Amino acid sequence: MSVLEMIDTYWLYVLIGQYPNGPLGGLALTVLLAGSGLLLALPLGVLLGVARVSPRALVRRPVTALVYGVRGTPLLMVVFWAYFFLPAVTGHKTDQFNTMLAALVIFDAAYLAEIVRAGLQSLPDGQWQAARALGMSRGQALRLVLLPQALRHMLPSLVNQFASTIKATSLGTIIGLSELSFIAGQVNAQVLVQPVAVYGTLALCYFVMCFGLSQWAQGMERRSRV
Amino acid sequence: MPLLDFSPLLHGQFLDWLLAGVRLSLLLTLFALCLALPLGTLIALARLAPFAPLRAVAWGYVEAVRNVPLLAHMLFWYFAVPELLPDGLKAWLYAGHIEAVAALAALVTYTAAYMAEDVRSGLRSVPQGQWLAARALGLRHRDAMRWIVLPQALRATVPPLISQTLNLWKNTSIATVVGAAELMYQAQRVETASFRGFETFALATATYLGVSLLITAAGVLYQRRYPARPAAR
């Protein structure tokens, strides 16, 4: 089978999997998983990031331990824990999509927490003092003065985190989730004689998405510096 | 939740499997580090070379590698690259540990791209005056780089390189997709054979975390021993 024939036969499969005759898969599933993972992780990451700079040791220490723990563990390990824990906690079997989503949310939240922390710490101390001097409570100062500024500084990092999350979804393959890498494996098993073309295309798909995102983030950073 | 019982895992065959996994994970980390560090340094130097095409090639390498997941790299090295090799070499590879070799190749290319960026930012942190002074003394680009800029830059690069080593250690787990028998692979194997999923993965997680914390501690220690100096004027 030539490369062109291969592309002609499998492009729709790579794009959306067996949908609508079966579960959604391929590139569409990869993007959906990365997008929903990051969106769900964002509020959690902000909470953890704020807790990381809390003056109360009782709040700060456990969150710091959690962040260090998650960041010191391979994502693959987190995926396996989700695979085991979710059914034990919820009482019924969790499908691969939700398992992967849970792992990504935990993992991303830990990384986002560090981005939020850096964003908060990069703000001048005067912002805090001014907000407090105006009579705001700690919560109000955070919500109304500090976080909006920190989040704006964080935007380029967030876009880059989205690219990382897209790369991370590839681990879904290991638990049999039919995302892009899994589909590539299936196509390779069917075509058999074109591994270079199949896996080259797989790499190219990821490259186009992630390179595009990182260039966008760089552009944003350049504009905000002016 | 069933009662936790680690005893079946702590002796005999299961322990041997897990230990073999730890050993391969550590070996992969060590070999990949020894190969990726010089490669990354070379790429960083190429990215700052006075010759524009060389700069472009190095930039292309870094972007192409970093924007593709390591898992895709592993699959490519395992399934596709051997097809591109001459038959004799291919046969020799398949006779040996092709999984471990493919995993190592993927880890080296991937880590080198990240390390190249760390070394490059280290190089750029050396004050411009050092460059100008070296050049003014009549040193050529190559000699100024080798004797003046690179030694100072590498010192500034150690902390990010340590955190890159941490990533490398965690990334060895992905080698399980091509069947390299590292810790993750052996943990799955023990889990299947012993039906002790919680305990097996708890042990594996503790091992990953333990080594990660050791690497992090090395970074903290280095920064305490050699704190970043303000740039000399």
Side-chain angles (χ1 to χ4, degrees), chain A residues 71-72 77 81 84 111 167, chain B residues 66 110 114 170 201 205 212:
Chain A
R71 285 165 52 103
M77 210 74 239
W81 278 118
F84 275 94
Y111 282 80
K167 294 204 299 173
Chain B
R66 294 204 315 165
Y110 193 75
Y114 280 88
K170 292 190 290 171
F201 285 116
T205 306
S212 295

Side-chain angles (χ1 to χ4, degrees), chain A residues 69 71-74 76-77 80-81 84-85 111 167 170-171 173-174 181 195-196 199-200 203 206-207 210-211, chain B residues 63-64 66-69 71 75-76 79-80 83 110 114 170 173 176-177 184 188 191 198 201-202 205 208-209 212:
Chain A
R71 285 165 52 103
T73 316
L76 195 48
M77 210 74 239
F80 273 91
W81 278 118
F84 275 94
F85 257 122
Y111 282 80
K167 294 204 299 173
S170 65
L171 294 188
T173 299
I174 295 167
S181 301
V196 178
Y199 288 109
Y206 282 113
F207 175 78
C210 299
F211 183 70
Chain B
E63 291 298 335
R66 294 204 315 165
N67 285 307
V68 172
L71 185 115
L75 295 175
F76 191 82
F79 288 107
E83 296 302 314
Y110 193 75
Y114 280 88
K170 292 190 290 171
S173 65
T176 193
V177 283
M184 196 70 219
Q188 286 171 269
E191 192 260 323
F198 274 99
F201 285 116
T205 306
Y208 277 117
L209 199 55
S212 295

Side-chain angles (χ1 to χ4, degrees), chain A residues 16 69 101 111 169 202-203 208:
Chain A
I16 58 172
L101 187 62
Y111 282 80
T169 58
L202 175 67
V208 169

